[in-house]
Amino acid sequence: VDARDAGSAWQLWHDAWMDALFGDAGFFRRPEGPAGHFRTAAHAAPDVLAQALLRLAGEHGRTGIIDVGAGRGELLNALQVAARDTGTPLALHGVEIVERPDGLAPEIGWWQSLDDLSPETLTGALVIAWEMLDTVPCIILEHDDTGVPRLVEVERHSGRERLVPMEDHVDLSFDAILWLVPNWPVDNDPGRRIEVGGPRDEVWRQLVVAAAAGRDVVLLCVDYAHDQESRPPNGSLAGYRGGRLVPPVPDGTCDITAHVAIDSVAGAGEAAGAKTLMLTTQREALRALGVTGRQVPGAPVTAASLERMSREAELIDPHGLGSFAWLLQKV
Ligand SMILES: C[S@@+](CC[C@H](N)C(=O)[O-])C[C@H]1O[C@@H](n2cnc3c(N)ncnc32)[C@H](O)[C@@H]1O
C-alpha cells in the first residue's frame, strides 16, 4: 500500500494495538475474558500449575502471590484451593484492567492498577506475570524493498499495512533504534520485520520498581519468548479469536500478541536492581517442581491419574507450552 494513501484509520502498530486491547472498548475488557479466546496454561491445567507454583513459593519462602494480568482469576482460584487443601497460609491478590470477576474466591484480593500494590502486600510475595508481557504492544518496523527500515502502520478495521519513514515519528524511532541495536540482529534484507520490545521491558521495569517498594520480592515472568539466537526474522505478530489463530486486525475483536524478547526483559529487570535467579524453559522449570507427565511409581493407574498425566504432559510439551520461558528475578 502506498505510504501516501489518504486513508483515515491508519495508525502506528503500537498505538492501534494498545487501543485494540486496552482502550475503552478493548478486547481484554470483553465479558468473556481471555479464556473465551485462547488457552493458557492457567486454563489448561490450573490445579497442576497451582500445586507447582505453591512448591516454588515454598522453596523461596513466600508469604503471598500476586498475579498481574490475572485474566478472570482462573490461576488465583486454583491457588486458593491448593493452598487451602495443603494448609498453606498464602495471601493471594490479582491485578487486572477489569473489575473483580464474579467467580473469584472471597479470600482473594483484586486491584485494577499496579499503583495499588502496597509495600506490605509486596513484601515477601511472589509476583507473577503469566502470558502478560506478550500482550504489551511493540513498535513494529519492516525493511522496505531497498532494505531501509520503516515504521509499520496498520489500518484499524482491515489490518492492511503500509510503511512510513522513521522521520515521521522521530522520538518513537529514536526509542526503537536504541532498543534494537543491542537486541535485534540487523541486516539489510527487504521484508525483514522487527518487533521492538522496549515497551515490554518498560512494563517489567515498572513491576521491578514497584516491587522494590516492598522487601524481599520474587518476580516470575512466563511467556512465549525468543532471545538473541532465536529472534523471528519475519516477526511473530498474531491474532486469536474464539480459540482460533486469526490475522492480527486491531479492531478490538481479537487478541493481538507477539513473542517476548525475554533476554531483553531480564536485562531491564537487572538494570532496575533485580537479580536473575533463573531463566529457563517451562519444561525444565516445571519438571524441577515435580510436574513430570509420568505415572507416580507404585501408584495405581486410574482414569484420574491418566487424565492428570495428560494435562501435565501438555504443560511440559517441548513443542508447546513447555517451550515457554520462565524468568525468575528477585529484588
Ligand atoms: C494473555 S492474557 C493472560 C491471562 C492469564 N494470566 C492467563 O495466563 O490465563 C493477558 C492479560 O494481561 C492483562 N494485562 C496486560 N497488561 C496489564 C496491566 N498493565 N495491568 C493489568 N493487567 C494487564 C490483560 O488484560 C489480559 O487479561
Side-chain angles (χ1 to χ4, degrees), residues 21-22 28-29 33-35 38-43 49 67-72 74-75 95-98 111-114 128-136 203 206 224 255:
L21 296 193
F22 304 108
F28 282 128
R29 299 190 192 281
F38 49 85
R39 183 174 160 92
T40 67
H43 312 142
L49 202 54
D67 188 7
V68 181
R72 297 299 176 269
E74 294 87 351
L75 179 58
V95 182
E96 250 301 342
I97 60 167
V98 295
W111 296 310
Q112 281 184 259
S113 166
L114 282 176
I128 297 177
W130 199 286
E131 286 201 44
M132 186 261 216
L133 286 188
D134 65 275
T135 67
V136 175
V203 167
Q206 285 173 11
Y224 29 77
D255 184 21

Side-chain angles (χ1 to χ4, degrees), residues 94-149:
V95 182
E96 250 301 342
I97 60 167
V98 295
E99 285 180 10
R100 183 185 180 87
D102 285 342
L104 197 69
E107 300 85 350
I108 301 171
W110 190 261
W111 296 310
Q112 281 184 259
S113 166
L114 282 176
D115 298 339
D116 298 334
L117 295 165
S118 72
E120 295 72 35
T121 311
L122 283 159
T123 295
L126 171 65
V127 177
I128 297 177
W130 199 286
E131 286 201 44
M132 186 261 216
L133 286 188
D134 65 275
T135 67
V136 175
C138 301
I139 301 160
I140 301 185
L141 305 178
E142 185 175 314
H143 289 187
D144 69 11
D145 292 344
T146 63
V148 174

Side-chain angles (χ1 to χ4, degrees), residues 68 83 174 178 265 287:
V68 181
F174 184 70
L178 268 187
V265 170
R287 277 158 56 120

